């Protein structure tokens, strides 16, 4: 006698849908910035560099996965690695960086945490210990924060009114970015590594 399997309701993979939606929003914002640069909020803020770097940042993981032919696409990592570029563009489009005092500081902390967590989930082996994973997060996050601040200085800060307060702002941004990376390292290490003693 054969038993008939009862079909189970398909669970919605909300992370996959969220990752696709965020990526579509990113490219919609980039397209809008190309068509209506005055409304983008990034005019005078290294808009050309952003229009090059942001799509690369949003597509680096899918391209790496496609080239490596991995079996399962890391949707959580893709979502985390796309959110920073999308939120930054959206925040500029809504003029939040210039109208909300705490927005820039919050973004340096939160977006660096997202980006670092995504990079850890996508590229760092799960066999690393918790301390090593945390140090990798600090290494990546701090280096990326320095590269970002240098890029901002070279592309627009040195010729803008922001130059007068750039030193203090840069130190604060580097500190918040590093703390965000540290938080990401601690969280990812806590929930993905097998042991805090196995290297």
């Amino acid at each position: 006698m054969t038993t008939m399997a009862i079909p189970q309701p398909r669970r919605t993979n909300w992370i996959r849908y969220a990752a696709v939606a965020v990526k579509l929003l990113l490219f919609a914002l980039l397209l809008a910035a190309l068509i209506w640069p005055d409304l983008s909020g990034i005019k005078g803020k290294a808009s050309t560099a952003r229009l090059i770097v942001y799509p690369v940042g949003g597509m680096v993981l899918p391209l790496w996965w496609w080239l490596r032919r991995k079996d399962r696409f890391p949707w959580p990592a893709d979502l985390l690695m796309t959110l920073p570029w999308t939120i930054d563009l959206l925040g500029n489009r809504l003029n939040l960086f210039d109208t909300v005092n705490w927005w820039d500081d919050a973004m340096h902390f939160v977006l660096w945490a997202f980006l670092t967590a995504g990079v850890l989930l996508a590229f760092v082996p799960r066999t690393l210990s918790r301390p090593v994973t945390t140090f990798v997060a600090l290494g990546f996050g701090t280096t990326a924060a320095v590269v970002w601040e240098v890029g901002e200085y070279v592309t627009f800060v040195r010729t803008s009114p922001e130059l007068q307060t750039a030193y203090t702002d840069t130190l604060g941004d580097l500190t918040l970015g590093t703390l965000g990376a540290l938080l990401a390292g601690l969280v990812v290490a806590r929930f993905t590594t097998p042991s805090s003693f196995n290297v």
Side-chain angles (χ1 to χ4, degrees), residues 176-198:
L176 290 166
T178 300
L179 290 174
L182 175 61
L183 175 64
L186 292 172
V187 171
V188 171
R190 171 66 180 83
F191 292 103
T192 64
T193 52
S195 169
S196 59
F197 300 103
N198 293 330

Side-chain angles (χ1 to χ4, degrees), residues 144-158 170 174:
V146 170
V147 170
W148 178 267
E149 293 301 323
V150 170
E152 279 194 341
Y153 177 80
V154 170
T155 54
F156 75 94
V157 170
R158 63 193 172 100
T170 297
L174 289 173

Side-chain angles (χ1 to χ4, degrees), residues 11-192:
R11 186 174 62 180
T12 302
N13 190 343
W14 68 269
I15 294 179
R16 177 181 302 183
Y17 295 141
V20 172
V22 169
K23 205 172 292 292
L24 289 174
L25 179 58
L26 170 64
F27 286 100
L29 289 167
L30 289 167
L31 182 61
L34 281 172
I35 299 172
W36 303 288
D38 291 337
L39 301 177
S40 67
I42 59 173
K43 188 175 182 180
K45 298 180 179 180
S47 57
T48 302
R50 291 176 193 261
L51 291 174
I52 295 171
V53 171
Y54 286 23
V56 172
M59 291 303 297
V60 64
L61 179 56
L63 290 173
W64 174 85
W65 177 84
W66 182 76
L67 290 172
R68 294 289 301 274
R69 301 291 184 180
K70 295 289 185 179
D71 293 333
R72 295 182 61 186
F73 185 73
W75 289 105
D78 185 56
L79 175 60
L80 288 167
M81 290 178 65
T82 307
L83 276 171
W85 318 108
T86 307
I87 293 174
D88 181 79
L89 278 178
L90 189 59
N92 277 294
R93 178 65 181 84
L94 300 175
N95 202 29
L96 297 176
F97 285 94
D98 295 325
T99 59
V100 180
N101 290 333
W102 50 265
W103 185 261
D104 182 66
D105 290 339
M107 290 302 96
H108 276 276
F109 179 79
V110 173
L111 301 187
W112 244 248
F114 285 163
L115 182 62
T116 303
V119 168
L120 290 177
L121 291 175
F123 300 109
V124 175
R126 301 293 186 271
T127 53
L128 296 182
S129 69
R130 291 177 183 172
V132 172
T133 299
T134 304
F135 279 118
V136 170
L138 278 172
F140 167 79
T142 304
T143 302
V146 170
V147 170
W148 178 267
E149 293 301 323
V150 170
E152 279 194 341
Y153 177 80
V154 170
T155 54
F156 75 94
V157 170
R158 63 193 172 100
T159 58
S160 77
E162 294 182 31
L163 184 60
Q164 300 301 318
T165 57
Y167 182 72
T168 301
D169 183 65
T170 297
L171 287 177
D173 291 348
L174 289 173
T175 301
L176 290 166
T178 300
L179 290 174
L182 175 61
L183 175 64
L186 292 172
V187 171
V188 171
R190 171 66 180 83
F191 292 103
T192 64

